[in-house]
């Protein structure tokens, strides 16, 4: 029989994540330790804050579910946020959801965040509801670094920004985006054109950063990063101590870029709707 193999992991390492250097000659065996799953409490908190930063034009409560409608502008504002078990059972809840969206001429869609909605996700899949819009939620702790670049942050979305992100419905976009306290719109202008833009919205201690984009002629100049830095600084000035981004899960390049800028993925979500 060979020598006994001992694996020692001090509590300080397990809880703090602090890196410890060990002489290679002292290592008998090793294995990778996966990151801890994000607690359900954190997912629930983030989803409620993110929902507050992206309000629908019309909402309704169904037990612990939030039904949202915004004339088709974005999945987020036109889906059910399901954070609890369905009231009265899945069949009854889906019937109520279907009737509510049918009355508005819309297709029912259910947002399913992380492991919180795992059982409902499986039930909808068994009913033939198809998954779409898989998205990663990434967050970063803000340190209050001052921003001194060319990006300007204003408190109402301008016509050029709404034209770029409004998806041919700028008036609806303006209502979803909102304006005033807790809302910031970052802009970089070049030669009379809105070269790059983004939006920040504060809820609690979180600033949700969305709609970062650069016109094709101005890409690869670092303007997207400038927009992000400006909105982080703006969010900190308005009481946020965390920033959050939502990125399509198959956009590996964007996820890698945000990781380089200090963001870490916390969980993923998807939507399901009837085929």
């Amino acid at each position: 029989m060979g020598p006994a193999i001992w694996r020692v992991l001090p509590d300080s390492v397990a809880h703090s994540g602090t890196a410890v250097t060990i002489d290679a000659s002292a290592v008998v065996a090793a294995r990778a330790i996966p990151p801890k799953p994000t607690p359900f409490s954190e997912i629930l908190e983030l989803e409620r804050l993110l929902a507050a930063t992206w309000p629908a034009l019309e909402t309704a409560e169904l037990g612990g579910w939030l039904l949202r409608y915004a004339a088709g502008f974005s999945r987020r504002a036109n889906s059910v946020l399901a954070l609890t078990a369905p009231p009265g059972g899945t069949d009854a809840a889906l019937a109520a959801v279907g009737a509510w969206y049918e009355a508005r001429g819309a297709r029912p869609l259910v947002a399913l965040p992380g492991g919180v909605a795992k059982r409902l996700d499986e039930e909808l899949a068994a009913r033939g509801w198809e998954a779409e819009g898989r998205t990663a939620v990434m967050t970063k702790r803000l340190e209050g670094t001052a921003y001194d670049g060319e990006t300007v942050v204003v408190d109402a979305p301008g016509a050029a920004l709404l034209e770029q992100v409004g998806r041919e419905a700028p008036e609806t976009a303006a209502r979803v985006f909102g304006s005033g306290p807790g809302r910031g719109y970052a802009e970089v202008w070049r030669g009379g054109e809105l070269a790059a833009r983004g939006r920040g919205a504060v809820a609690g201690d979180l600033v949700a950063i969305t709609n970062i984009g650069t016109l094709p002629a101005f890409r690869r100049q670092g303007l997207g990063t400038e927009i992000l830095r400006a909105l982080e600084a703006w969010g900190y000035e308005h009481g946020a101590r965390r920033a959050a981004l939502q990125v399509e899960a198959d956009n590996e390049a964007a996820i890698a870029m945000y990781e380089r800028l200090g963001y870490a993925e916390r969980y993923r979500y998807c939507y399901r709707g009837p085929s």
Side-chain angles (χ1 to χ4, degrees), residues 152-163 165 170-171 173-189 194 196-201 211 231 234 238:
V152 176
V153 181
V154 296
D155 63 3
L161 186 149
L162 291 174
E163 184 67 26
V165 303
E171 293 182 0
R175 293 177 64 188
V176 172
F177 284 0
S179 61
R183 299 292 185 269
Y185 304 88
E187 301 178 346
V188 175
W189 287 81
L194 181 59
R197 38 69 180 171
R199 171 185 182 266
N211 299 100
L231 288 173
W234 172 88
H238 286 75

Side-chain angles (χ1 to χ4, degrees), residues 171-267:
E171 293 182 0
T172 301
R175 293 177 64 188
V176 172
F177 284 0
S179 61
R183 299 292 185 269
Y185 304 88
E187 301 178 346
V188 175
W189 287 81
R190 296 277 178 84
E193 288 188 282
L194 181 59
R197 38 69 180 171
R199 171 185 182 266
V202 173
D205 71 336
L206 184 80
V207 56
I209 298 175
T210 62
N211 299 100
I212 292 179
T214 305
L215 290 182
F218 301 99
R219 289 174 184 165
R220 300 188 181 279
Q221 299 178 27
L223 296 186
T225 300
E226 288 296 302
I227 291 288
L228 183 60
R229 289 178 56 226
L231 288 173
E232 288 174 351
W234 172 88
Y236 191 89
E237 291 175 0
H238 286 75
R241 296 300 178 261
R242 295 177 293 165
L245 295 162
Q246 297 172 79
V247 188
E248 291 184 0
D250 60 359
N251 193 342
E252 296 179 357
I255 290 174
M257 180 188 72
Y258 290 133
E259 287 176 341
R260 290 194 297 270
L261 295 172
Y263 286 82
E265 183 177 321
R266 302 306 297 150
Y267 60 95

